Amino acid sequence: DEGEIILRGALHTHEEVLGPNHSETLESLARLACVLHGKGDLKGAEPMYRQALAMSERVLGPDHPETLAALSNLAMLLKQKGDLEGAEPMYR
């Protein structure tokens, strides 16, 4: 998929040029996770959602809207794959 290829390239460039803790790197990672999720690649999207959530908590803080969006995205994925025990605490 062309969009996925472009996002992977952007993520790589942001990691190399801006570093792993830059907001642009975080945004690229989150977008790529969403694309994979949208394609049904839950196995590929889950670790990226987890990484995006951890980065967002560290860089932006736990109450930032982007962090809350990352948490929600991961919770939706876990629910979709049937991991209700993992998803439930994230909805609270």
Side-chain angles (χ1 to χ4, degrees):
D1 173 83
E2 188 177 343
E4 180 183 341
I5 292 168
I6 291 169
L7 284 171
R8 285 187 187 279
L11 176 59
H12 178 75
T13 299
H14 288 140
E15 287 175 334
E16 292 291 316
V17 175
L18 302 173
N21 293 319
H22 193 277
S23 61
E24 292 292 323
T25 304
L26 172 59
E27 186 176 331
S28 293
L29 179 64
R31 285 185 180 179
L32 179 55
C34 286
V35 165
L36 294 175
H37 189 182
K39 289 174 42 176
D41 182 1
L42 304 184
K43 194 173 194 174
E46 183 177 351
M48 290 187 174
Y49 277 147
R50 290 187 184 280
Q51 184 181 355
L53 176 58
M55 284 175 62
S56 190
E57 287 175 334
R58 185 173 60 251
V59 174
L60 303 173
D63 297 324
H64 191 278
E66 293 297 323
T67 304
L68 299 175
L71 182 67
S72 177
N73 287 337
L74 178 57
M76 284 189 290
L77 180 138
L78 293 175
K79 181 180 174 188
Q80 186 176 0
K81 74 176 216 174
D83 182 1
L84 301 181
E85 285 185 30
E88 182 184 2
M90 294 180 184
Y91 283 115
R92 294 177 186 230

